[in-house]
Amino acid sequence: MVWDSSFKNMLKQLLGKAGISVITETEVATSNQRIDFVIPNNDQTINSPFRHAKKLIIGEFKSENDKLFNGDLLMLLSKAFSYIAPTHGYGNKKSELEKINVSDVSCILFLGGKKSVKSLSFLGLNINEIEKGVYECSGTLLHLLIIEIDNIQLSREYEALKIFATEKIREKTLKAAIRSDNIFINSVAYFLYKEELMSLAEAEGKPISSESLSIRSAVETIGLSRVLEEVGLSKVIEEVGLSKVIEEVGLSKVFEEVGLSKVIEEVGLSKVIEEVGLSKVFEEVGLSKVIEEVGLENLVNSLSEGDKHTLRKLLDS
């Protein structure tokens, strides 16, 4: 540390004589350091919108509801460097992970809705449209692509990404999904743009109900909370399992909405205890409530030796 501090202090003294300020121990912002997605692309065979990308894709998405700043490009590059440094061995002699050359990394900024390349000034970067809706930036240490979802021509397997375009563009995708009974697109769109989808479905003469949807696809894409609002806990538990629902809303909420008896009936007391732990069950529901619902004998028969010991201690207290 003495060498480090001595060097910095010497710079301050030497440059200070010429009236030049040296700022030391400068803090670097580290908030919001999550990356939206990372995609290994070693074979570089993924179709549009990824066909121009290199062996490792690090990306961010900006919806039409997000604010977009020039600094977002720099932040994406910064997070990409922060990601590959420890995970791919740089600066870490103990890392067993394969190092990756910076020339093999692509950063991709997806712009949804009305977001456009034109809304950004590029900090001296050279921007070239290499195909419709796809822009490549030069002048950065990492390969940088900007993709306008409204304008890009997507291969068939990725056409669902048009869900994140503006309404006029999105409408074509939704109509096609309704006509072809595309359960995946319809399921995601139902929870993102319910009124829009239902109106289009009615106009096409193919009404859509929640019973025709893939709840699992919707949960995996949108997240549990929004789906729970629409179809309720019982349906979601049936589709995605008790553990995922408990993780999102908490055990007490599940029991409050569905009832302990129903949960135990569906998955079994042993499974409930296995997934959330005996102590957690007692903490959330109460020992007396559990015994009342399932009976002491059934409870004891469902427990491991360790949990039986915990139960004895609770009964003796």
Side-chain angles (χ1 to χ4, degrees), residues 61-65 110-116 147-152 154 159-175 189 193 196 200:
F61 168 67
K62 292 290 184 180
S63 75
E64 61 181 330
N65 297 318
F110 278 91
L111 302 180
K114 296 178 182 179
K115 293 289 185 293
S116 168
I147 296 176
E148 297 173 338
I149 292 179
D150 262 21
N151 296 319
I152 189 174
L154 293 170
E159 63 184 355
L161 291 175
K162 286 290 185 179
I163 286 178
F164 302 100
T166 52
E167 184 175 348
K168 184 177 180 180
I169 303 296
R170 181 171 66 236
E171 183 178 303
K172 298 177 183 178
T173 298
L174 296 185
K175 283 183 176 180
Y193 314 105
E196 181 182 337
L200 291 172

Side-chain angles (χ1 to χ4, degrees), residues 287-296:
L287 174 58
S288 59
K289 180 66 174 177
V290 174
I291 293 175
E292 178 186 330
E293 291 284 347
V294 302
L296 182 58

